[in-house]
């Protein structure tokens, strides 16, 4: 028996009519950005997806119910309550559902719920990955293993250099996950367009990415696709400028003994604090760009399917 999901009318109709849909996560709203910019950005990316010819579906858990699409009121509440709402990865789903709690979904749990709903395209900011020092801490985001499990393409501006990007790419290779650079031969590093790490493959257009998705799933290969979409040039923070900030944040986390699911939010908050408005502006710009690209991929993929 499939687990019951709760859809907004807009999303339910789009899925029934096999129109393109783009999922969004809610951890980026509750834990990734301050209020009110988080809510403004979440609304803006939904509108960008509509303009691009697709339907947005922001995913979250409310009172234990898996929500696919949020009302403006629900979205606003997640933004206001922010970090007091639990950050929910796949591990946490059974407890949050059983206890009828609210939860902000990460990339991993959003992919899983999107897949349950039959949504194949998801736009985010940055994915989780293998943390620096993971050979000792074993801190590897469940986002990695989810890419082996859920048939969803995730549009991301790469991953922040709070992670070990080389080990992140190695892990995705092991898990059989295509990492497709969109118009780039380098894996982008979130704030910066370049990381010094090559992507294993590149596509020139969203339609080509849709072709990779179709080919993967037509062969019965399970799991997702990482679509690496660099931050727009005008919003970029050069790597040499952000690197010392990231290094200091990682050291501070170590010194304070920050562990587990607290690590990523701690590092993100540290970087945001030190760079003040600049990192937030970059974050907003890249999420909007990812939404636009995800809509184009969803449109191209829907054409292939029907
Ligand atoms: N990286 C970012 N911004 C974010 C996240 C990661 O640059 O908001 C969030 C995403 O929701 C991602 C999660 O899925 O953090 C990863 O957390 P962890 O490393 O604990 O798995
Ligand atoms: Mn972790």
């Amino acid at each position: 028996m499939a687990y019951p999901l709760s859809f907004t009318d807009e999303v339910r109709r789009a899925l029934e009519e096999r129109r393109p849909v783009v999922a969004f996560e809610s951890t980026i709203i509750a834990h990734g950005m301050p209020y009110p910019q988080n809510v403004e950005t979440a609304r803006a990316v939904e509108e960008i997806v509509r303009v691009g010819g697709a339907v947005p579906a922001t995913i979250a858990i409310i009172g234990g119910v898996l929500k696919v699409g949020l009302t403006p009121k629900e979205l606003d509440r997640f933004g206001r309550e922010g970090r007091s709402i639990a950050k929910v990865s796949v591990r946490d789903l059974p407890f949050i559902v059983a206890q009828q709690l609210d939860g902000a979904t990460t990339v991993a749990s959003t992919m899983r719920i999107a897949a349950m709903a039959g949504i194949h395209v998801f736009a985010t900011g940055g994915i989780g990955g293998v943390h620096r020092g993971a050979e000792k801490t074993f801190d590897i985001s469940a986002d990695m293993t989810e890419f082996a499990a859920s048939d969803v393409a995730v549009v991301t501006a790469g991953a922040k250099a709070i992670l070990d990007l080389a080990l992140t790419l190695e892990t995705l290779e092991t898990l059989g996950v295509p990492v497709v650079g969109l118009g780039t031969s380098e894996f982008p590093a979130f704030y910066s367009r370049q990381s010094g790490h090559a992507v294993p493959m590149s596509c020139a257009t969203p339609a080509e990415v849709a072709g990779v998705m179709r080919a993967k799933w037509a062969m019965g290969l399970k799991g997702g696709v990482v679509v690496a979409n660099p931050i727009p040039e005008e919003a970029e923070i050069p790597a040499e400028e952000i690197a010392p900030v990231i290094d200091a944040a990682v050291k501070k986390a170590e010194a304070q003994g920050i562990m587990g699911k607290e690590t990523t939010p701690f590092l993100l908050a540290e970087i945001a604090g030190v760079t003040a408005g600049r990192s937030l502006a970059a974050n907003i710009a890249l999420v909007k760009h990812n939404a636009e690209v995800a809509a184009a991929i969803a449109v191209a993929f829907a054409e292939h399917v029907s």
Side-chain angles (χ1 to χ4, degrees):
M1 193 186 70
Y3 190 80
L5 304 169
S6 170
F7 298 91
T8 55
D9 289 342
E10 183 191 24
V11 174
R12 180 193 291 107
R13 242 177 275 131
L15 289 169
E16 279 170 5
E17 293 167 11
R18 298 186 165 274
R19 285 186 282 122
V21 177
V22 173
F24 289 101
E25 58 158 310
S26 42
T27 288
I28 190 173
I29 302 171
H31 295 262
M33 285 186 199
Y35 183 82
Q37 288 91 343
N38 53 3
V39 174
E40 286 162 12
T41 305
R43 290 223 177 99
V45 293
E46 289 198 345
E47 206 38 48
I48 287 167
V49 162
R50 289 192 189 98
V51 169
V55 167
T58 302
I59 290 178
I61 306 163
I62 297 181
V65 176
L66 307 185
K67 294 273 185 187
V68 184
L70 296 185
T71 66
K73 251 193 178 162
E74 290 166 339
L75 202 143
D76 193 73
R77 182 169 73 78
F78 266 66
R80 273 178 200 281
E81 294 185 13
R83 283 196 235 169
S84 64
I85 295 177
K87 173 185 163 188
V88 175
S89 192
V90 173
R91 166 198 68 181
D92 310 294
L93 279 175
F95 180 78
I96 297 294
V97 166
Q99 302 265 326
Q100 303 180 356
L101 300 172
D102 293 340
T105 52
T106 63
V107 168
S109 55
T110 302
M111 285 177 77
R112 184 65 65 104
I113 296 166
M116 289 181 197
I119 299 171
H120 293 289
V121 182
F122 164 17
T124 187
I127 57 170
V130 182
H131 280 264
R132 298 185 192 181
E135 65 274 18
K136 286 222 173 80
T137 62
F138 274 40
D139 191 350
I140 300 173
S141 175
D143 292 357
M144 294 288 95
T145 38
E146 196 55 32
F147 271 104
S150 286
D151 299 358
V152 179
V154 181
V155 183
T156 171
K160 283 200 179 98
I162 58 171
L163 302 173
D164 187 318
L165 297 183
L167 294 188
T168 299
L169 289 165
E170 286 294 346
T171 301
L172 289 165
E173 180 186 1
T174 302
L175 295 170
V177 180
V179 178
V180 181
L182 184 57
T184 182
S185 55
E186 264 194 50
F187 190 62
F190 197 84
Y191 297 119
S192 325
R193 292 173 60 83
Q194 289 171 336
S195 67
H197 300 281
V199 281
M201 61 204 84
S202 307
C203 284
T205 63
E208 280 185 30
V209 174
V212 172
M213 294 159 62
R214 195 171 41 137
K216 174 163 182 165
W217 298 326
M219 285 183 278
L221 297 175
K222 268 223 72 62
V225 174
V226 175
V227 182
N229 183 39
I231 184 171
E233 238 163 280
E234 62 277 10
E236 176 178 35
I237 306 179
E240 62 271 21
E241 219 171 293
I242 198 78
V245 176
I246 291 172
D247 291 346
V250 170
K251 284 214 180 82
K252 192 164 171 182
E254 265 172 32
Q256 295 190 12
I258 307 289
M259 276 172 55
K261 70 189 274 191
E262 303 311 326
T263 302
T264 297
F266 178 88
L267 293 172
L268 301 185
E270 276 294 310
I271 295 164
V274 173
T275 61
R278 190 140 176 238
S279 69
L280 182 59
N283 202 343
I284 292 168
L286 66 86
V287 176
K288 287 181 175 174
H289 187 220
N290 290 344
E292 188 185 329
V293 163
I297 293 171
V299 167
F301 184 73
E303 279 164 8
H304 282 312
V305 166
S306 54

